[in-house]
Amino acid sequence: MNSAVMTTYAPSDIAFERGDGVYLFTDDGRRILDFGSGIAVTSLGHAHPHLLAAVHGQIDKVLHYSNLYRIPEQERMARRLVDNSFASSVFFCNSGAEAVECGLKLVRRYHDEMGNPDKYRVITCAGGFHGRTLATISAAMQEKHMQGFAPMLEGFDQVPFGNINELRAAIGDETAAILVEPIQGEGGIHYAEPDYLKRLRDTADEFGLLLFFDEVQTGIGRTGKLFAYEWSEIEPDVVAVAKGLGGGFPVGACMANERASTAMAPGTHGSTFGGNPVAMAAANAVLDVILEDGFLAHVQEMGGYLRDRLAELAKRHPDILNEVRGQGLLTGISCHATNLDLVKAMEAENVLVIPAGDNVVRFIPPLIVAKNEIDEAVEAFDRVCAATEAPAETT
Ligand SMILES: *Cc1c(COP(=O)(O)O)cnc(C)c1O
């Protein structure tokens, strides 16, 4: 392929002309079931009429002006996120990495304002993912992402995910915060014991740390609650969201409770595009739908159905598939066969699914997905697993 695009990606040779609901269409008429949602982004599916109307309406009025002036749609979106969460204020940006970056700046600044400028270190978890900027690859410490980019940003300590004792042992005088994903998405749909988040909260309180959840993948309805932390009994101090927030329009946000919010005075942080009127129209429209009565219950029901059906497949193909995990429609299945091969074979069956760490295949459809569409994806996966087994039997 002769492409002038910088070689950071190795894309599959397929492009889409348009989308409708859970389907994408190529210009030569192929219809493809989208169980990747642009990596957990297009929560309302493609061409959702309410989202399109909101974006079109805003585009006709004004595309962009800066945060030097009030942006009413941004104020409205912030108010709604606050009214539906632990937070008391929200900073808008354009991506997940930027949302995490804002939170990382915030936790340092919070302790600085409290008279503890030497408290700046953040504890993170192995297998985590927080984005691809220098700060966020420094935070996640994944070898494959750091390779060749040294030196990393100073100030991160890493502990195993789900182990509260090792986390406590890593706390020192310079520790400012704990940053974790409630469910590790890119790492392979890993979740900790149910009381892990509560013990993180207790530990943060005991040592005067801020508790910072990266909900870039889990947030905005993906797990069947508006935020994944709602599955626990606790509230964090800071949360980063992005992926599903704009339903396909690039939007990120860093949310903070009252105590943490006070650190960010005028001039401490900013973004040219963050909270732009069109982005905010998109985000408000997504929230309209997700907050409708019964929507999150639908996500939970479809998630349960998808996991049940995948678990049947895992029984039928024990040499190919291992364990089904997830919450809501953040679902993955760990594999004995190579996940990338299965993803590729699914593409040939006209179904998009997404690989994740730990040899996992992610099934992360739009949240509007229906049972018959889940059946279609699972039946394709059944065929792919059967075809993957067959050659092995002949050798
Ligand atoms: C995708 C992701 C990010 C990074 O988001 P970008 O928009 O790609 O910068 C950060 N954290 C988590 C948990 C993610 O899943």
Side-chain angles (χ1 to χ4, degrees):
M1 208 185 311
N2 175 14
S3 170
V5 175
M6 198 175 280
T7 50
T8 60
Y9 308 108
S12 168
D13 191 15
I14 183 170
F16 305 106
E17 185 190 37
R18 66 187 178 88
D20 185 15
V22 298
Y23 294 98
L24 284 164
F25 298 85
T26 63
D27 55 10
D28 56 1
R30 242 173 106 186
R31 186 182 85 148
I32 299 196
L33 183 59
D34 182 6
F35 266 49
S37 307
I39 315 188
V41 168
T42 47
S43 299
L44 305 189
H46 301 285
H48 191 284
H50 182 65
L51 175 57
L52 289 195
V55 171
H56 284 152
Q58 184 59 49
I59 280 176
D60 288 342
K61 286 192 257 178
V62 59
L63 272 184
H64 178 79
Y65 61 90
S66 79
N67 285 299
L68 296 171
Y69 314 96
R70 288 180 49 201
I71 301 176
E73 276 289 282
Q74 184 186 131
E75 291 172 2
R76 191 163 82 86
M77 184 63 197
R79 172 57 52 203
R80 298 174 78 197
L81 285 175
V82 164
D83 287 346
N84 286 283
S85 77
F86 75 100
S88 72
S89 77
V90 186
F91 176 86
F92 290 103
C93 50
N94 315 288
S95 68
E98 280 178 277
V100 175
E101 178 87 22
C102 176
L104 290 172
K105 286 180 72 177
L106 184 151
V107 299
R108 285 190 177 189
R109 177 108 189 161
Y110 167 79
H111 289 285
D112 189 80
E113 290 282 303
M114 300 286 284
N116 298 309
D118 48 336
K119 282 193 189 294
Y120 68 96
R121 304 191 69 83
V122 175
I123 297 178
T124 63
C125 287
F129 180 75
H130 303 296
R132 299 296 286 271
T133 62
L134 270 172
T136 53
I137 63 174
S138 302
M141 287 188 210
Q142 298 243 17
E143 200 51 52
K144 62 179 188 230
H145 295 154
M146 296 189 294
Q147 180 67 41
F149 296 117
M152 290 295 107
L153 183 70
E154 226 265 306
F156 297 98
D157 298 296
Q158 190 160 87
V159 297
F161 181 61
N163 185 322
I164 201 76
N165 291 334
E166 293 212 34
L167 185 137
R168 289 175 66 89
I171 296 171
D173 292 341
E174 296 177 333
T175 306
I178 301 165
L179 167 61
V180 298
E181 296 160 83
I183 300 172
Q184 290 187 335
E186 299 303 308
I189 319 292
H190 290 293
Y191 48 88
E193 294 292 305
D195 75 342
Y196 180 59
L197 300 186
K198 176 163 189 314
R199 297 180 73 182
L200 288 179
R201 177 74 273 171
D202 293 344
T203 302
D205 292 342
E206 183 182 337
F207 292 92
L209 316 178
L210 292 179
L211 185 57
F212 178 4
F213 286 169
D214 182 345
E215 293 227 30
V216 168
Q217 189 151 167
T218 56
I220 316 299
R222 178 54 54 186
T223 71
K225 301 263 190 196
L226 189 56
F227 301 98
Y229 77 79
E230 294 172 47
W231 289 106
S232 72
E233 282 148 33
I234 59 102
E235 293 186 338
D237 300 301
V238 182
V239 164
V241 287
K243 290 194 166 85
L245 183 58
F249 204 92
V251 193
C254 180
M255 309 166 55
N257 66 10
E258 192 155 4
R259 163 167 91 117
S261 294
T262 54
M264 301 305 262
T268 51
H269 195 47
S271 165
T272 300
F273 292 120
N276 152 298
V278 184
M280 292 296 101
N284 271 306
V286 169
L287 209 53
D288 289 341
V289 176
I290 288 186
L291 293 179
E292 268 170 21
D293 258 2
F295 188 89
L296 291 171
H298 170 81
V299 175
Q300 291 177 26
E301 191 194 336
M302 289 304 111
Y305 181 69
L306 172 59
R307 274 190 300 284
D308 285 350
R309 296 245 29 208
L310 287 175
E312 288 166 22
L313 282 198
K315 266 198 210 128
R316 195 149 57 233
H317 305 286
D319 296 340
I320 307 288
L321 304 176
N322 183 19
E323 183 195 21
V324 180
R325 355 184 236 260
Q327 189 138 45
L329 285 167
L330 182 58
T331 292
I333 183 160
S334 64
C335 305
H336 298 302
T338 306
N339 63 346
L340 295 177
D341 294 343
L342 295 172
V343 168
K344 201 79 207 143
M346 282 292 271
E347 193 183 297
E349 290 278 344
N350 294 325
V351 183
L352 303 183
V353 286
I354 311 263
D358 255 6
N359 206 31
V360 161
V361 175
R362 264 180 293 179
F363 286 71
I364 42 178
L367 305 182
I368 53 141
V369 73
K371 269 188 181 168
N372 62 307
E373 294 152 349
I374 290 175
D375 290 339
E376 192 181 328
V378 170
E379 281 153 24
F381 202 42
D382 194 11
R383 288 193 296 277
V384 161
C385 291
T388 307
E389 265 155 3
E393 283 164 10
T394 60
T395 55

